[in-house]
Amino acid sequence: TIPAGLYATLIFKGGREESLKNYQILLEWINRNNYIKIGSLIKFYHLTTFHTNNHNNLISEFQIQIESL
Protein backbone atom coordinates (compact mmCIF):
# COMPACT_ATOMS: atom_id res chain seq x y z
CA THR A 1 0.00 0.00 0.00
CA ILE A 2 1.23 3.46 -0.91
CA PRO A 3 0.80 6.03 1.88
CA ALA A 4 -1.62 8.89 1.27
CA GLY A 5 -0.03 12.24 0.66
CA LEU A 6 1.42 14.60 -1.89
CA TYR A 7 3.66 13.10 -4.58
CA ALA A 8 5.90 14.47 -7.28
CA THR A 9 5.42 12.27 -10.34
CA LEU A 10 7.28 11.90 -13.62
CA ILE A 11 6.27 9.60 -16.47
CA PHE A 12 8.85 8.98 -19.17
CA LYS A 13 9.53 6.91 -22.24
CA GLY A 14 12.77 4.98 -22.72
CA GLY A 15 14.92 2.23 -21.30
CA ARG A 16 17.03 2.00 -18.17
CA GLU A 17 19.54 4.46 -19.59
CA GLU A 18 16.85 7.15 -19.22
CA SER A 19 16.08 6.34 -15.56
CA LEU A 20 18.90 8.22 -13.84
CA LYS A 21 18.43 11.31 -15.99
CA ASN A 22 14.70 11.40 -15.24
CA TYR A 23 15.21 10.75 -11.52
CA GLN A 24 17.53 13.78 -11.44
CA ILE A 25 14.93 15.87 -13.31
CA LEU A 26 12.32 14.91 -10.70
CA LEU A 27 14.64 15.80 -7.80
CA GLU A 28 15.47 19.15 -9.42
CA TRP A 29 11.76 19.92 -9.81
CA ILE A 30 11.17 19.11 -6.13
CA ASN A 31 13.95 21.47 -5.03
CA ARG A 32 13.06 24.25 -7.48
CA ASN A 33 9.44 24.29 -6.32
CA ASN A 34 10.22 24.47 -2.58
CA TYR A 35 9.37 20.92 -1.61
CA ILE A 36 11.38 18.32 0.25
CA LYS A 37 11.50 14.61 -0.35
CA ILE A 38 9.99 12.67 2.57
CA GLY A 39 9.69 9.23 0.98
CA SER A 40 11.62 6.79 -1.13
CA LEU A 41 11.35 6.50 -4.89
CA ILE A 42 8.40 4.42 -6.09
CA LYS A 43 8.61 2.99 -9.60
CA PHE A 44 5.77 1.84 -11.83
CA TYR A 45 6.29 0.19 -15.18
CA HIS A 46 3.38 0.85 -17.53
CA LEU A 47 4.86 -0.61 -20.72
CA THR A 48 7.55 -3.26 -20.19
CA THR A 49 9.60 -5.70 -22.23
CA PHE A 50 6.66 -8.05 -21.77
CA HIS A 51 4.73 -5.70 -24.08
CA THR A 52 7.46 -4.59 -26.52
CA ASN A 53 10.95 -5.60 -27.60
CA ASN A 54 11.88 -1.99 -28.32
CA HIS A 55 13.46 -0.54 -25.17
CA ASN A 56 12.90 2.99 -26.52
CA ASN A 57 9.13 2.42 -26.17
CA LEU A 58 9.13 1.42 -22.50
CA ILE A 59 6.98 3.66 -20.26
CA SER A 60 7.91 4.16 -16.61
CA GLU A 61 6.64 6.33 -13.78
CA PHE A 62 8.56 7.65 -10.80
CA GLN A 63 6.84 8.96 -7.68
CA ILE A 64 8.36 10.52 -4.57
CA GLN A 65 6.35 11.62 -1.56
CA ILE A 66 6.97 15.30 -0.84
CA GLU A 67 5.93 18.13 1.46
CA SER A 68 6.29 21.92 1.35
CA LEU A 69 9.26 23.56 2.97
Side-chain angles (χ1 to χ4, degrees), residues 6-12 18-44 60-67:
L6 183 63
Y7 286 81
T9 302
L10 179 70
I11 298 172
F12 65 94
E18 298 294 320
S19 292
L20 180 57
K21 177 180 81 170
N22 283 288
Y23 178 66
Q24 291 171 337
I25 289 169
L26 186 57
L27 291 178
E28 288 169 8
W29 184 92
I30 291 168
N31 291 329
R32 190 173 56 248
N33 289 279
N34 298 314
Y35 291 101
I36 57 170
K37 182 171 93 85
I38 60 168
S40 299
L41 177 67
I42 301 169
K43 302 177 192 177
F44 296 99
S60 302
E61 179 177 347
F62 288 168
Q63 293 187 1
I64 300 175
Q65 191 173 14
I66 58 173
E67 67 181 20

